[in-house]
Amino acid sequence: MKIIRINKTAWKGGMDKSRGKYHLFGPVEERDHHRFKQLDENQYPDMDHGTCVRSPKALLFPPSQVMLETCLDESCENHHIFTQPPWDDTPRAVIGIRPFDARAIGLLNLNFDTDEYRDPYWCDVLDITTFVGLAVNTPSRSDFSTTAGSGPFGEQGLDVLLVDCEDHYLAKILTDKGDAFLKEAGFKADDKKGDTEIDQETANDTLQKMKEKAEAAIGSVIHTDRLKDKTILDLHGASFWEEVAFACINCGTCTFVCPTCWCFDIQDETRGQSSQRIRNWDTCMSPLFTLHGSGHNPRGEKTQRVKQRFMHKLKYFLDKYDQGIMCVGCGRCVEGCPVNIDIRKVCNQMNSYEPLTQSGL
Ligand code: SF4
Ligand code: SF4
């Protein structure tokens, strides 16, 4: 848990040194927004980025991914036998990931790495990835991470937490993976006489004050304390769903921007003599998501789909894993919904919902 000081004048040099062992990923500005991507040799993470529209979950769970492939030409060796495409297992470092997105990766992991099943595509990449987080000094107006189990200085899921202190970063080393990355970059925790040494009490005080200031800047809150006590049936039958869903146009934006949504579809595609099994992000907001081969659709109405999204995030997940809600409060869906459907309002409605009792009828 040591904190070191990294002067910004040494930052780019450190990134370059680390490239000898790691592939670097980070936020890069493209057109009018930032996106996490693998950095080219002369590229550096833009550490002034706000909340990226697409969350860094896409680095481990791409929107479209070839799972298996084969050759249909009978003259090919192993034709018609599906195999996983080769992948690059060089260690990766994701630089500048925000704390709420790191927590989201931990929540996604509950789905991809279970006692019954280990998703190799997700788990193998997670194993070789180091997360170097960047605290949020100035939260966005839609950020409600403090009441969604994370916060601007949250540490869950991170190997290092960087805090921007104008001319330098304070780097809190949280795991051995994080320590190894910083060493590779030349920022050593045990460099007694070097530039990185800083009095630990002073550093802790600074971090605490900055954390409190950032948390105080978050004006938006959700209430989740009573969700667990509600029954699924009561919430399912609540009177507000029609009104919540009324304006929804089923665009799916809320699910595609969400760092904790994990639904996907699997398609087989054949082109010429090559065949691939591909998984693509899918969305519960689309009527096709639950359309059966028989033509029956258990969630054919949009109210059913909107209800499903909120019930999954705020009730089913909470009940199943007992690790809080399936939302980290990043605010992306709040900003992105074209008709202003707001999870904060729905969460508070669900939390305070009281079904009419027999005597109240
Ligand atoms: S539900 Fe909305 S606020 Fe919550 S994690 Fe997903 S995108 Fe962010
Ligand atoms: S972003 Fe808004 S309109 Fe689009 S599917 Fe989600 S709730 Fe509906």
Side-chain angles (χ1 to χ4, degrees):
M1 285 288 188
K2 179 159 182 176
I3 300 169
I4 63 170
R5 176 191 166 106
I6 301 174
N7 289 328
K8 286 196 180 169
T9 48
W11 174 249
K12 282 191 177 174
M15 291 300 97
D16 288 337
K17 267 189 207 152
S18 71
R19 291 181 213 261
K21 183 165 176 193
Y22 293 84
H23 284 165
L24 300 187
F25 294 75
V28 173
E29 189 165 9
E30 285 184 343
R31 293 189 290 272
D32 59 345
H33 64 272
H34 283 83
R35 188 160 79 90
F36 272 80
K37 57 179 283 196
Q38 183 166 354
L39 303 175
D40 298 334
E41 254 184 43
N42 296 318
Q43 248 178 342
Y44 300 91
D46 182 346
M47 302 295 268
D48 293 322
H49 71 286
T51 306
C52 296
V53 174
R54 192 168 79 180
S55 86
K57 82 172 176 192
L59 300 177
L60 294 97
F61 172 40
S64 187
Q65 179 172 33
V66 177
M67 305 173 78
L68 299 168
E69 59 188 5
T70 190
C71 175
L72 304 177
D73 179 346
E74 295 193 2
S75 65
C76 291
E77 196 183 347
N78 296 329
H79 63 87
H80 289 85
I81 297 174
F82 273 105
T83 52
Q84 187 177 345
W87 68 289
D88 186 345
D89 63 357
T90 304
R92 304 175 183 198
V94 178
I95 316 292
I97 184 172
R98 297 297 189 178
F100 46 61
D101 284 334
R103 171 166 161 83
I105 284 171
L107 298 184
L108 287 169
N109 200 46
L110 295 171
N111 178 59
F112 286 120
D113 190 6
T114 72
D115 289 342
E116 295 83 38
Y117 181 72
R118 178 186 185 273
D119 182 300
Y121 305 95
W122 167 274
C123 294
D124 290 348
V125 175
L126 187 61
D127 285 349
I128 59 163
T129 304
T130 302
F131 293 99
V132 180
L134 179 62
V136 182
N137 288 354
T138 314
S140 76
R141 66 196 161 94
S142 55
D143 185 325
F144 56 99
S145 55
T146 41
T147 45
S150 173
F153 279 56
E155 296 174 4
Q156 199 180 340
L158 290 175
D159 298 298
V160 176
L161 176 67
L162 294 175
V163 180
D164 190 329
C165 302
E166 297 187 355
D167 64 339
H168 66 278
Y169 295 109
L170 287 180
K172 189 168 185 181
I173 304 166
L174 301 167
T175 66
D176 290 346
K177 255 183 168 180
D179 191 34
F181 173 77
L182 290 178
K183 274 198 182 108
E184 198 62 33
F187 306 131
K188 298 193 178 105
D190 52 2
D191 191 5
K192 291 269 180 281
K193 292 184 200 130
D195 289 344
T196 57
E197 193 63 19
I198 186 168
D199 175 67
Q200 294 300 289
E201 210 178 313
T202 312
N204 266 315
D205 267 7
T206 306
L207 288 196
Q208 187 57 29
K209 282 191 187 117
M210 290 180 75
K211 178 174 184 258
E212 284 165 14
K213 188 173 169 206
E215 286 177 355
I218 294 180
S220 145
V221 295
I222 54 168
H223 301 285
T224 57
D225 53 312
R226 297 169 65 199
L227 287 171
K228 199 153 179 83
D229 300 334
K230 312 281 172 200
T231 70
I232 286 175
L233 278 182
D234 280 347
L235 286 174
H236 215 266
S239 49
F240 50 73
W241 291 117
E242 287 286 342
E243 194 192 329
V244 169
F246 177 74
C248 177
I249 55 170
N250 293 142
C251 64
T253 302
C254 50
T255 51
F256 291 133
V257 297
C258 181
T260 67
C261 277
W262 60 53
C263 289
F264 58 82
D265 186 25
I266 295 178
Q267 309 260 343
D268 285 343
E269 289 186 7
T270 297
R271 193 170 297 160
Q273 296 295 328
S274 142
S275 188
Q276 294 181 321
R277 177 157 295 175
I278 303 171
R279 76 170 167 192
N280 301 304
W281 286 2
D282 204 349
T283 169
C284 58
M285 304 305 277
S286 158
L288 275 180
F289 186 70
T290 43
L291 182 62
H292 294 183
S294 66
H296 170 65
N297 193 340
R299 292 205 288 269
E301 301 297 323
K302 75 172 173 183
T303 303
Q304 295 167 306
R305 298 192 286 278
V306 170
K307 188 194 297 189
Q308 162 63 21
R309 173 175 167 240
F310 291 117
M311 286 292 281
H312 187 199
K313 288 199 169 296
L314 304 171
K315 181 60 183 165
Y316 306 144
F317 182 90
L318 179 84
D319 286 356
K320 178 169 179 182
Y321 295 108
D322 203 15
Q323 303 224 9
I325 55 173
M326 187 185 164
C327 166
V328 292
C330 69
R332 286 184 178 91
C333 62
V334 177
E335 295 284 340
C337 177
V339 298
N340 297 326
I341 293 176
D342 190 329
I343 190 170
R344 296 170 297 186
K345 184 175 170 202
V346 180
C347 181
N348 292 339
Q349 272 178 302
M350 288 172 68
N351 193 61
S352 62
Y353 182 70
E354 294 297 346
L356 288 177
T357 57
Q358 210 63 27
S359 56
L361 285 172

